[in-house]
């Protein structure tokens, strides 16, 4: 029957030998070669490995298939490069899942940046995780990188201090290095933030801060590969791309998702698949939780803020307070294009001042909410005023602030005495001697004044840029920012939401979001 089925005598003999061998009470014969790496590998295949395992390596010369893992106590710097659908995000998910399953938040803190949404935001609820930020949150990404750089320096210095308590290991996962270094973009150039990130990659491992980066072909074109001591290359759209970064004599692995080659040794690696579910978080004390980097909200109700707070911002997204009388400075300039939220900013500051018992004179065009929706203030509605009108309005005030909305549309005519032009009330307030007694807030578009197209209030604006607090709302270009005395990098420009901008005092610059009534 077997012969009629087309099987040869040789096939029959082999089948008979195999069947007989299964019936013998003997140990299986020695296999001179290990089986090839599987095309898919569950995370349980490396469950017993040390460190934070993420894959399996094939070492045929030594007849070994050791687990690949991130050594949290070592100094290796790991990068993974590959084309679309090659398994880069799978690698990140596997690494994060493995870390969460093996380590407690008191041991390891996690921070993640993903250039394109890939499901990593689901890990944000882990107690280990301080942030999962996307490329659409450049301010949040910048806060994380800046803090990591300062933490590297702090830990480096603390090593010199005996008895300093140990800090948790930090793992910074970047899924899409192009978020920082997109050499394919015609507008890209090397920024100080990229230099800061490179310093974190290079100096972090000796002090327990590990950056694990995944990216595409652009990641391999500059200085970046030299930063990493361990480089895994997943498949690219063309195998020639991967081959160009390997030594001659290295054998390319099969083109499979998750199948990589380690550039230094030429050994093949199969990245594990992550578990279907995110590992259950262990119970943690609040003191063990990772330092958080929350997103800056688009809407901040003023009713939720206390005291002199006018919004939230800064590195930790905390309330931003306005003190124009005790600590100063007593001058505030709010500048931005139409629709940037400058009128709301003026209204919020005036409201906070009134709540603090400060008398307010509000000056604005008739349609401004500053003269329509500010009970408790004395208002002057219009676009042209005599200085005598302003002085009469504040004649019975003690400690007060003048708040002007759309100041670029307003003209104040100074008094004349013996052919001399006397200073206006606003020019008097600008003087340093007014601190503690009087304050001035100008809201509007300062660009025409700074460009010399409008002379009204030019002196006040210049002094505010020099010694006051300035809020630059929704900056859209480098030229616009520099005119206001603010130097920004490409990731720091944005067009919204209204009320978002940079607060600058002396040498400090913070991103803030104004509250709304």
């Amino acid at each position: 029957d077997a012969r009629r089925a087309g099987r040869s005598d040789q096939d029959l003999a082999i089948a008979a030998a195999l069947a007989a061998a299964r019936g013998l009470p003997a140990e299986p014969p020695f296999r001179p070669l290990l089986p090839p790496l599987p095309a898919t590998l569950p995370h349980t295949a490396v469950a017993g490995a040390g460190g934070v395992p993420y894959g399996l390596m094939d070492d045929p010369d030594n007849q070994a298939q050791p687990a690949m893992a991130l050594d949290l106590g070592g100094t290796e710097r790991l990068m993974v490069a590959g084309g679309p659908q090659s398994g880069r995000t799978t690698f990140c998910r596997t690494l994060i899942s493995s870390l969460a399953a093996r380590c407690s938040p008191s041991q390891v803190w996690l921070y993640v940046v993903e250039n394109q949404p890939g499901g990593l935001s689901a890990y944000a609820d882990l107690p280990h995780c301080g942030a999962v930020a996307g490329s659409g949150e450049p301010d949040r990404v910048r806060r994380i990188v800046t803090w990591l750089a300062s933490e590297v320096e702090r830990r480096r210095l603390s090593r010199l201090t005996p008895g300093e308590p140990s800090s948790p290991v930090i793992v910074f996962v970047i899924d899409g290095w192009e978020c920082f270094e997109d050499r394919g973009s015609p507008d890209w150039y090397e920024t100080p933030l990229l230099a800061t990130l490179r310093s974190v990659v290079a100096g972090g491992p000796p002090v327990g801060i590990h950056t694990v980066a995944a990216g595409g072909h652009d990641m391999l074109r500059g200085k970046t590969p030299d930063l990493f001591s361990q480089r895994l290359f997943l498949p690219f759209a063309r195998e020639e791309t991967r081959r160009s970064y390997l030594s001659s004599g290295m054998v390319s692995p099969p083109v499979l998702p998750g199948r990589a080659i380690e550039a230094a040794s030429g050994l093949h690696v199969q990245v594990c698949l992550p578990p279907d579910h995110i590992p259950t978080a262990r119970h943690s004390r609040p003191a063990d939780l990772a330092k958080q980097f929350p997103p800056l909200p688009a809407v901040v109700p003023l009713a939720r803020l206390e005291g002199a707070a006018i919004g939230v911002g800064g590195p930790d997204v905390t309330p931003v307070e306005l003190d124009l009388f005790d600590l100063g400075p007593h001058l505030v300039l709010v500048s931005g294009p139409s629709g940037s939220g400058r009128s709301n900013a003026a209204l919020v500051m005036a409201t906070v001042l009134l709540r603090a018992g400060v008398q307010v004179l509000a000056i604005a065009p008739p349609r401004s909410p500053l003269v329509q929706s500010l009970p408790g203030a004395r208002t002057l509605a219009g676009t042209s005023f005599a200085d005598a009108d302003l002085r009469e309005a504040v004649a019975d005030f003690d400690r007060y602030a003048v708040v002007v909305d759309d100041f670029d549309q307003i003209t104040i005519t100074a008094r004349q005495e013996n052919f001399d032009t006397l200073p206006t009330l606003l020019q008097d307030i600008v003087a340093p001697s007014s601190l503690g007694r009087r304050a001035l807030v100008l809201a509007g578009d300062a660009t025409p004044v700074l460009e010399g197209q409008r002379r009204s209030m030019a002196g006040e604006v210049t002094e505010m840029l020099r010694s006051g607090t300035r809020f630059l709302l929704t900056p859209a270009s480098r030229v616009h920012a520099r005119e206001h005395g603010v130097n920004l990098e490409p990731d720091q420009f944005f067009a919204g939401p209204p009320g978002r901008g940079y607060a600058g005092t002396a040498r400090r610059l913070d991103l803030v979001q104004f509250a709304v009534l």
Side-chain angles (χ1 to χ4, degrees):
D1 292 338
R3 289 193 179 92
R4 285 196 296 271
R7 299 180 66 182
S8 66
D9 292 340
Q10 185 178 5
D11 292 335
L12 291 173
I14 292 173
L18 291 174
R22 286 193 292 268
L24 294 175
E27 294 293 329
F30 170 73
R31 296 178 64 101
L33 296 176
L34 290 174
L37 291 175
T40 58
L41 189 67
H43 69 284
T44 53
V46 292
V52 183
Y54 56 83
L56 199 65
M57 175 182 283
D58 189 17
D59 184 1
D61 289 345
N62 295 305
Q63 280 301 285
Q65 290 183 340
M68 291 289 287
L70 176 65
D71 183 3
L72 298 180
T75 58
E76 289 284 352
R77 298 182 298 278
L78 173 64
M79 66 166 278
V80 178
Q85 307 299 317
S86 63
R88 295 178 310 194
T89 300
T90 297
F91 160 78
C92 294
R93 292 174 58 205
T94 297
L95 182 73
I96 295 172
S97 296
S98 182
L99 181 150
R102 289 168 173 263
C103 306
S104 70
S106 63
Q107 297 172 314
V108 180
W109 288 357
L110 170 71
Y111 299 91
V112 181
V113 169
E114 54 177 352
N115 190 42
Q116 299 291 337
L120 300 184
S121 60
Y123 296 96
D125 293 334
L126 288 172
H128 313 68
C129 189
V132 177
S135 59
E137 303 172 291
D139 61 292
R140 199 176 177 201
V141 173
R142 174 174 286 271
R143 280 186 280 135
I144 295 170
V145 173
T146 303
W147 173 75
L148 287 173
S150 65
E151 185 68 6
V152 169
E153 183 63 15
R154 184 193 69 80
R155 294 187 181 195
R156 187 186 66 81
L157 295 176
S158 68
R159 282 190 160 196
L160 305 177
T161 306
E164 187 77 13
S166 60
S167 301
V169 172
I170 294 174
V171 177
F172 183 33
V173 177
I174 302 173
D175 184 19
W177 184 265
E178 296 78 15
C179 182
F180 299 95
E181 187 178 10
D182 185 5
R183 292 179 175 270
S185 171
D187 300 325
W188 179 84
Y189 70 93
E190 297 221 12
T191 64
L193 183 64
L194 178 58
T196 301
L197 176 58
R198 285 176 173 154
S199 71
V200 173
V201 175
V207 294
I209 298 178
H210 302 269
T211 301
V212 180
H217 188 197
D218 280 346
M219 186 182 187
L220 306 177
R221 292 176 177 172
K223 306 173 185 177
T224 300
D226 296 335
L227 293 172
F228 295 90
S229 56
Q230 192 170 57
R231 301 183 295 275
L232 298 182
F233 295 150
L234 291 162
F236 287 88
R238 298 175 57 198
E239 182 58 26
E240 291 83 356
T241 302
R242 179 159 58 177
R243 291 291 323 162
S244 63
Y245 297 99
L246 300 176
S247 300
S248 60
M250 291 184 177
V251 179
S252 296
V255 180
L256 297 170
R259 183 63 58 87
I261 182 170
E262 203 278 313
S265 64
L267 299 180
H268 298 180
V269 177
Q270 180 64 42
V271 174
C272 295
L273 296 174
D276 295 332
H277 303 286
I278 296 175
T280 303
R282 305 179 186 181
H283 178 71
S284 304
R285 299 176 303 166
D288 294 335
L289 301 182
K291 174 181 171 61
Q292 297 295 305
F293 288 88
L296 190 61
V299 178
V300 182
L302 183 60
R304 296 184 183 178
L305 301 177
E306 300 178 352
I310 58 172
V312 297
D316 299 318
V317 190
T318 51
V320 175
E321 295 191 345
L322 182 69
D323 182 359
L324 300 181
F325 291 91
D326 294 329
L327 298 177
H330 68 297
L331 307 174
V332 177
L333 174 67
V334 180
S335 179
S338 178
S340 62
R342 63 199 188 197
S343 294
N344 172 75
L347 182 61
V348 166
M349 286 188 282
T351 301
V352 170
L353 289 168
L354 288 168
R355 290 178 180 175
V358 176
Q359 295 167 298
V360 173
L361 171 62
I363 305 173
R367 294 185 179 181
S368 169
L370 192 65
V371 294
Q372 293 182 348
S373 309
L374 190 61
R378 190 165 294 173
T379 60
L380 293 176
T383 58
S384 181
F385 303 92
D387 181 57
D389 297 333
L390 274 62
R391 294 183 181 275
E392 180 182 355
V394 299
D396 59 339
F397 282 179
D398 182 16
R399 191 176 69 153
Y400 67 90
V402 178
V403 182
V404 185
D405 187 24
D406 290 329
F407 73 87
D408 50 305
Q409 302 177 26
I410 291 176
T411 301
I412 298 175
T413 304
R415 295 175 296 160
Q416 300 288 327
E417 184 176 296
N418 297 328
F419 301 103
D420 292 330
T421 301
L422 300 180
T424 66
L425 174 66
L426 302 190
Q427 291 170 340
D428 283 348
I429 297 176
V430 165
S433 58
S434 290
L435 177 61
R437 301 183 299 111
R438 302 182 294 185
L440 177 61
V441 177
L442 297 183
D445 186 359
T447 302
V449 177
L450 297 174
E451 291 180 346
Q453 301 172 14
R454 182 176 174 84
R455 295 183 179 180
S456 179
M457 300 194 198
E460 293 91 322
V461 169
T462 300
E463 181 60 26
M464 285 179 161
L465 290 177
R466 188 184 70 83
S467 61
T469 298
R470 60 192 183 276
F471 291 92
L472 178 59
L473 301 182
T474 62
S477 71
R478 184 178 298 274
V479 173
H480 181 222
R482 284 183 174 175
E483 286 177 341
H484 292 76
V486 178
N487 289 318
L488 301 177
E489 297 181 28
D491 65 294
Q492 294 180 289
F493 298 109
F494 51 86
R500 181 163 298 182
Y502 291 97
T505 303
R507 295 183 179 181
R508 183 180 176 90
L509 192 69
D510 289 317
L511 187 67
V512 301
Q513 179 68 44
F514 269 98
V516 293
L517 293 175

